[in-house]
């Protein structure tokens, strides 16, 4: 370790007591955890104070979620102690931690998609009256819990009727629905849009005021500074240091995350600005588009849309959640059937009745919801990576073990997937590394058009830059990409042109000078041309 652990600071943003030595509400001393082939945590000292918002930062696989799992009884540490309000604790399960007032929203949302919203909020602790479940009461309380988040939903509808961002708000409502001393949120904002993030932050600040200690994980630098009093940086399973947010400039934060030796000038500049540079790739001349949508729509889902993706180009899709981004992707991939218009591939009309048809035409789709449509948790990393390629070849033409191993190794190395062993179940990878494996799956099919729906969700800043550069390089070699992201600056960075969607229709297409953040926000808001 290159950097000495910093000295204790008084908690930021809280009134310190008379002795000026406040006690952490939750702390670890010398906590270690080894999984087969990985030292996930190495002798970690960590402390969380009442009334502070404390952000855990680090690259994918740095040990953030593992630390949370150790704190909340999901995994037992191999060594070290945990104290809650000064008392040594060893939670045997997350339920025990909850009972002690430690509420957690884990990185992979664990809700039941086919239960109602209300049941999800109160699952396992339904209010009862005379021994029977009191449904009217549950409904009322669920609505109240959501109202605190300014979310109004029909709580009797099943959860999967709502988009992921809304499901995420439901998960947050669940975590907030009982009294907590400590609230832990592992990447709660990765599928929220700007206004939802602002809403969540308002609530977190309010909770902090009431003395609750909040531990937060995010990969968004801007969010970190918007909300944090204190930052703990993790690197390779070690605690690199603990800082007051106001004492740690963003470029230093990033350099501590990646290690000084890996800090490129470009990454430093981007970190300082808090976002990627915005020039975007140069505009190439129009050629025969690889794919064209002519009046393609689906009743109730997407107004007829015209769109074309040029060879060697990235077309960005910008718009708010629910604007029709994912719906466009699904029609183009044959996951939903269009009921109007024509799709042309290389100038020839095609029928995309199923993803199979799309894959046969060289189209790949890296879906937004990695859990539902993405990874197969019990298959190995290698099997997950070759899955789409195998499906395209047909299951009767099995890819040889050797070829599968070579392909998986190639992409693990190219995308920097942090895995002890490609034969491990993919479910054991950290969240960001699962996302990279999903991307690898589609890149391994050598597609002509790749549809990427929120491809950088949960991926750390440094890896994000690598991945975007890699996408641009693949484009130079002939790939076309449809790039969907809520991060407008990311869309602008990689896209040659940007189509803007609003209310399930395309309202504009911008390139060159016009593709700047202000203009796109104006278009999305309905006030610009
Ligand atoms: N149950 C497990 N079995 C084996 N390895 C595991 C398990 N859980 C985590 N790991 C490994 O421990 C390391 C730390 O993972 P962790 O999930 O804590 O990372 P993280 O910092 O949360 O990353 P991310 O930003 O991608 O979510 C990773 O290499 C991961 O693959
Ligand atoms: Mg994690």
């Amino acid at each position: 370790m290159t950097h000495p652990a910093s000295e204790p600071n008084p908690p930021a943003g809280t009134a310190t007591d008379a002795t000026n030595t406040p006690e952490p509400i939750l702390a670890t001393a010398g906590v270690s955890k080894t999984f087969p082939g990985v030292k996930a945590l190495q002798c970690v000292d960590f402390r969380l104070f009442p009334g502070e918002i404390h952000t855990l930062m680090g690259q994918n696989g740095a040990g953030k979620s593992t630390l949370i799992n150790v704190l909340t009884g999901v995994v037992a540490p191999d060594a070290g102690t945990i104290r809650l309000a000064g008392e040594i604790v060893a939670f045997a399960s997350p339920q025990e931690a909850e009972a002690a007032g430690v509420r957690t929203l884990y990185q992979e949302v664990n809700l039941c998609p086919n239960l109602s919203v209300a049941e999800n909020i109160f699952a396992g602790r339904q209010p009862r009256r005379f021994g029977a479940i009191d449904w009217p009461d549950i409904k009322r309380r669920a609505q109240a819990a959501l109202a605190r988040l300014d979310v109004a939903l029909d709580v009797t509808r099943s959860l999967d009727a709502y988009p992921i961002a809304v499901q995420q708000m439901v998960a947050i409502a669940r975590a907030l629905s009982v009294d907590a001393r400590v609230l832990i949120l592992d990447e709660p904002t990765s599928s929220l849009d700007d206004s939802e993030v602002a809403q969540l932050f308002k609530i977190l600040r309010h909770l902090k005021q009431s003395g609750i200690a909040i531990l937060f994980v995010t990969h968004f630098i801007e969010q970190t500074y918007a909300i944090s009093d204190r930052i703990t940086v993790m690197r390779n399973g070690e605690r690199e240091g603990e800082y007051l947010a106001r004492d740690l400039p963003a470029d230093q934060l990033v350099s501590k995350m990646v290690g000084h030796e890996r800090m490129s000038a470009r990454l430093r500049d981007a970190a300082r600005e808090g976002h990627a540079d915005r020039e975007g790739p140069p505009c190439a001349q129009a050629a025969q588009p690889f794919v064209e949508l002519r009046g393609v729509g689906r009743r109730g889902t997407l107004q007829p849309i015209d769109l074309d993706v040029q060879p060697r180009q990235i077309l960005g899709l910008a718009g708010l959640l629910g604007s029709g981004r994912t719906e466009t992707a699904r029609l183009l991939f044959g996951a939903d059937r269009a009921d109007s218009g024509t799709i042309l591939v290389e100038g020839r009309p095609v029928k995309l009745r199923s993803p199979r048809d799309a894959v046969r035409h060289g189209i790949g789709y890296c879906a937004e919801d990695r859990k539902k449509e993405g990874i197969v948790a019990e298959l190995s990393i290698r099997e997950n990576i070759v899955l789409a390629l195998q499906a395209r070849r047909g299951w009767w033409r099995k890819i040889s073990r050797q070829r599968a191993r070579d392909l998986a190794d190639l992409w693990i190395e190219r995308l920097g997937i942090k895995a002890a062993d490609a034969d491990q179940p993919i479910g054991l990878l950290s969240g960001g590394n699962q996302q990279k494996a999903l991307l690898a799956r589609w890149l391994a099919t050598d597609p002509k058009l790749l549809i990427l729906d929120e491809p950088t969700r949960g991926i750390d800043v440094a890896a994000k830059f690598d991945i975007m550069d890699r996408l641009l390089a693949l484009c130079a070699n002939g790939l076309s990409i449809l790039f969907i992201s809520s991060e407008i600056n990311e869309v602008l960075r990689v896209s040659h042109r940007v189509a803007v969607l609003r209310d399930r229709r395309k309202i504009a297409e911008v390139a060159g000078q016009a593709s700047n953040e202000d203009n796109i926000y104006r278009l999305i808001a309905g006030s610009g041309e």
Side-chain angles (χ1 to χ4, degrees):
M1 204 159 85
T2 51
H3 195 279
S6 55
E7 283 306 302
N9 302 305
T14 48
T16 49
D17 66 22
T19 58
N20 217 8
T21 49
E23 202 187 304
I25 176 79
L26 193 59
T28 68
V31 160
S32 297
K33 179 73 195 176
T34 300
F35 293 114
V38 201
K39 286 185 177 161
L41 294 175
Q42 300 184 59
C43 208
V44 172
D45 294 345
F46 168 79
R47 21 181 237 162
L48 176 68
F49 292 94
E52 73 169 359
I53 298 181
H54 188 140
T55 301
L56 214 47
M57 298 275 318
Q59 288 188 271
N60 297 132
K64 303 177 298 293
S65 297
T66 305
L67 179 59
I68 289 171
N69 288 341
V70 164
L71 288 171
T72 61
V74 177
V75 299
D78 302 333
T81 53
I82 301 163
R83 285 174 193 270
L84 179 68
E87 301 286 321
I88 290 192
V89 288
F91 299 127
S93 69
Q95 289 73 25
E96 269 189 42
E98 280 190 11
V102 180
R103 303 281 319 171
T104 310
L105 184 66
Y106 294 97
Q107 182 169 9
E108 302 298 335
V109 178
N110 279 318
L111 296 174
C112 308
N114 38 22
L115 293 185
S116 70
V117 170
E119 286 167 298
N120 269 291
I121 294 179
F122 288 103
R125 47 193 160 83
Q126 290 95 338
R128 284 171 186 271
R129 231 159 71 116
F130 311 121
I133 293 181
D134 184 350
W135 285 111
D137 190 40
I138 289 188
K139 205 176 141 186
R140 224 173 8 252
R141 290 220 244 161
Q143 272 157 350
L146 287 165
R148 288 175 71 186
L149 301 170
D150 257 359
V151 180
L153 299 181
D154 178 353
V155 298
T156 60
R157 279 184 77 189
S158 86
L159 186 71
D160 57 7
Y162 293 102
I164 305 186
V166 175
Q167 298 189 17
Q168 186 73 8
M169 292 306 247
V170 171
I172 293 166
R174 177 178 162 81
L176 295 175
S177 64
V178 287
D179 289 336
R181 285 200 275 178
V182 174
L183 179 64
I184 301 177
L185 304 145
D186 194 352
E187 295 193 42
T189 57
S190 56
S191 48
L192 303 185
D193 68 25
D194 289 353
S195 63
E196 289 163 323
V197 170
Q199 192 55 36
L200 174 66
F201 282 6
K202 206 170 97 192
I203 292 158
L204 295 186
R205 289 194 191 98
H206 179 75
L207 292 170
K208 157 180 138 169
Q209 230 94 72
S210 66
I212 294 181
I214 296 168
L215 178 59
F216 180 67
V217 181
T218 184
H219 287 294
F220 296 104
I221 307 272
E222 282 166 79
Q223 290 183 8
T224 301
Y225 283 99
I227 194 84
S228 320
D229 301 304
R230 194 185 297 271
I231 298 172
T232 288
V233 179
M234 301 282 303
R235 192 165 85 222
N236 290 330
E238 294 179 26
R239 187 192 78 156
E240 192 277 343
E242 181 205 275
Y243 310 88
L244 290 180
R246 60 168 179 266
D247 296 342
L248 182 66
D251 56 333
Q252 281 187 33
L253 165 62
V254 175
S255 112
K256 288 175 193 307
M257 281 165 55
V258 303
H260 300 274
E261 57 290 350
R262 284 200 45 211
M263 186 72 179
S264 67
R266 208 169 116 262
L267 186 54
R268 187 178 309 120
D269 290 345
R272 198 175 288 137
E273 285 175 36
H275 50 69
D277 57 85
R278 284 164 188 178
E279 268 168 31
C283 270
Q285 313 143 341
Q288 155 88 53
F290 172 70
V291 72
E292 298 164 75
L293 306 188
R294 295 283 163 260
V296 171
R298 181 179 159 89
R299 251 185 304 280
T301 310
L302 189 71
Q303 302 280 338
I305 197 173
D306 287 347
L307 211 62
D308 48 60
V309 190
Q310 303 288 334
R312 297 169 191 271
Q313 284 206 11
I314 301 186
L315 175 68
L317 276 192
L320 298 177
L321 275 160
S323 60
R325 299 174 315 194
T326 297
E327 290 75 5
T328 307
R330 290 179 59 88
L331 290 181
L332 183 50
F333 191 57
D336 290 328
R337 259 222 247 149
D339 51 23
S340 68
T342 320
I343 298 179
L344 299 111
V345 172
E346 293 177 317
R348 278 191 300 275
V350 295
K351 290 243 179 301
L352 302 179
R353 291 194 192 83
S354 67
R356 235 194 146 78
D357 290 344
V359 168
R360 229 184 338 235
H361 283 102
I363 301 175
Y365 177 32
C366 194
E368 161 185 46
D369 186 346
R370 70 166 167 258
K371 224 175 169 188
K372 198 162 121 209
E373 303 184 38
I375 62 155
V376 185
E378 49 290 342
L379 293 186
S380 70
I381 300 164
R382 176 161 44 78
E383 288 165 317
N384 268 280
I385 290 178
V386 299
L387 196 67
L389 184 64
Q390 182 66 71
R392 190 173 76 184
R393 286 166 56 106
W395 295 99
W396 56 95
R397 287 176 54 214
K398 195 108 180 77
I399 297 169
S400 75
R401 276 187 79 81
Q402 189 55 47
R403 171 109 197 280
R405 195 169 295 130
D406 291 348
L407 258 175
D409 288 349
L410 177 75
W411 287 104
I412 286 173
E413 135 85 26
R414 281 193 178 166
L415 296 183
I417 297 173
K418 189 169 183 250
D421 176 354
D423 284 319
Q424 268 186 325
I426 197 167
L428 301 183
L429 286 186
S430 79
N433 283 302
Q434 292 184 13
Q435 185 67 26
K436 290 188 201 171
L438 204 54
L439 194 57
R441 171 192 295 173
W442 288 106
L443 290 170
T445 64
D446 199 11
K448 292 185 181 151
L449 170 70
L450 189 54
I451 305 168
L452 299 172
D453 199 350
E454 301 285 359
T456 60
R457 168 177 301 164
I459 288 182
D460 70 64
V461 264
K464 226 177 229 186
F465 279 85
D466 287 351
I467 287 178
M468 290 202 279
D469 285 351
R470 186 158 298 281
L471 292 178
L472 284 167
L474 286 166
C475 272
N477 280 327
L479 178 68
S480 306
I481 294 179
L482 183 67
F483 187 92
I484 305 176
S485 168
S486 308
E487 303 298 305
I488 306 281
N489 60 47
E490 278 181 28
V491 174
L492 285 172
R493 211 182 93 81
V494 294
S495 304
H496 298 85
R497 285 176 303 135
V498 178
V500 183
L501 304 184
R502 186 175 74 224
D503 295 337
R504 303 176 184 281
R505 70 177 74 220
K506 178 173 139 185
I507 52 162
E509 195 167 303
V510 293
Q513 292 279 310
S515 56
N516 61 66
E517 220 167 307
D518 289 346
N519 191 26
I520 289 182
Y521 275 119
R522 266 201 304 277
L523 288 164
I524 288 175
S527 57
E529 277 325 311

